């Protein structure tokens, strides 16, 4: 098969705050070039497009109001920001974490989780550790029980039951403000219900001749 230079048109129909389409042509085949300058040009174009896409999607989240609608462009924003995993999006995602989607679609064999129902939480979990500091901070603030559940879920989804609980307990130990400390304390049992610690296999603690 002959290699052809295949021009790819990337059109962000839903991402412009003003509603007009922003299009940029990128030749992805330049990434295969043996010329380092051609490679660098393609990478530079992709980085610029990636940065602009993140910026526009953050604008969409910050300027949009109300609950998610069917075919809401914020759904596209959540998907892209979770895929790109840019830490710059964390703050905007935290502010709309309790927005619930109408349609839940899981493309892999696993149980449906909080991040499937609440796409901002799902995007934060994909961004990973850069989101943890903001999630812990959000748990210190006054908010709905649903926001608390979502932030606890993100921490557990990223860190796991043991480390996630340690993160919360460490934040509790360092917090000096009574109200913020109380809100963190309320989050601990919520986290433990979402991510229960595994019980150790007690057989391994008995003498070998007493084990089953």
């Amino acid at each position: 098969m002959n290699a052809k230079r295949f021009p790819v048109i990337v059109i962000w129909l839903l991402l412009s705050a003003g509603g007009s389409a922003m299009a940029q042509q990128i030749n992805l085949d330049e990434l295969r070039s043996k010329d380092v300058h051609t490679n660098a040009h393609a990478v530079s174009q992709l980085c610029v497009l990636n940065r602009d896409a993140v910026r526009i999607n953050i604008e969409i989240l910050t300027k949009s109001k109300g609950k998610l609608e069917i075919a809401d462009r914020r759904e596209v924003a959540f998907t892209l920001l979770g895929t790109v995993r840019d830490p710059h999006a964390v703050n905007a995602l935290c502010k709309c974490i309790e927005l619930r989607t109408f349609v839940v679609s899981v493309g892999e064999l696993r149980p449906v989780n909080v991040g499937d129902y609440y796409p901002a939480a799902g995007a934060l979990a994909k961004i990973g550790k850069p989101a943890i500091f903001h999630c812990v901070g959000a748990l210190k603030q006054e908010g709905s029980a649903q926001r608390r559940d979502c932030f606890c879920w993100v921490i557990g989804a990223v860190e796991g039951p043991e480390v996630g609980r340690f993160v919360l307990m460490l934040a509790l130990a360092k917090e000096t403000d009574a109200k913020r400390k109380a809100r963190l304390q309320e989050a601990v049992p919520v986290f433990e219900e979402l991510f229960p610690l595994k019980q150790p296999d007690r057989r391994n603690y008995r003498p070998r001749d007493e084990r089953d």
Side-chain angles (χ1 to χ4, degrees):
M1 180 184 296
N2 294 329
K4 296 182 179 180
R5 297 175 65 81
F6 183 70
V8 177
I9 306 294
V10 181
I11 303 178
W12 301 100
L13 291 173
L14 299 175
L15 307 185
S16 172
S20 60
M22 178 184 70
Q24 182 172 348
Q25 179 170 318
I26 297 179
N27 194 327
L28 293 181
D29 216 36
E30 289 183 352
L31 294 171
R32 299 191 180 96
S33 174
K34 295 181 180 180
D35 180 70
V36 67
H37 298 293
T38 303
N39 295 145
H41 177 259
V43 171
S44 176
Q45 283 186 306
L46 287 170
C47 289
V48 170
L49 185 60
N50 180 82
R51 181 195 65 202
D52 290 345
V54 169
R55 175 180 56 80
I56 292 171
N57 278 274
I58 290 174
E59 289 179 1
I60 288 173
L61 294 184
T62 55
K63 292 181 179 180
S64 300
K65 305 297 180 183
K67 297 180 179 180
L68 288 176
E69 305 287 345
I70 296 177
D72 196 309
R73 64 179 181 169
R74 285 174 290 179
E75 295 271 19
V76 179
F78 292 136
T79 299
L80 186 141
L81 294 173
T83 301
V84 174
R85 302 182 182 185
D86 192 322
H88 290 97
V90 169
N91 190 48
L93 289 167
C94 285
K95 289 181 179 179
C96 52
I97 197 169
E98 60 187 334
L99 291 178
R100 184 175 177 129
T101 187
F102 276 88
V103 180
V104 175
S105 177
V106 179
E108 50 192 282
L109 295 177
R110 62 168 176 78
V112 178
N113 59 42
V114 172
D116 297 318
Y117 288 106
Y118 298 89
L124 286 168
K126 290 179 180 178
I127 292 173
K129 289 186 179 295
I132 299 302
F133 175 81
H134 292 77
C135 290
V136 172
L139 288 173
K140 298 178 183 181
Q141 306 302 317
E142 187 174 358
S144 68
Q146 190 55 60
R147 287 179 64 83
R148 182 181 58 202
D149 292 354
C150 287
F151 286 123
C152 284
W153 179 83
V154 174
I155 295 171
V158 174
E159 301 288 10
E162 292 82 4
V163 176
R165 189 178 186 281
F166 175 78
V167 167
L168 289 178
M169 299 309 293
L170 183 62
L172 263 172
K174 291 183 175 181
E175 184 56 62
T176 57
D177 181 86
K179 290 184 178 180
R180 292 197 294 266
K181 194 178 188 73
R183 294 182 190 119
L184 273 176
Q185 188 66 60
E186 290 175 355
V188 173
V190 174
F191 179 88
E192 292 176 340
E193 183 176 355
L194 288 168
F195 297 94
L197 293 172
K198 294 181 179 179
Q199 295 296 323
D201 186 351
R202 295 298 180 185
R203 293 178 304 172
N204 295 331
Y205 296 92
R206 298 205 303 268
R208 184 175 298 276
D209 57 355
E210 294 181 12
R211 298 179 191 175
D212 297 336

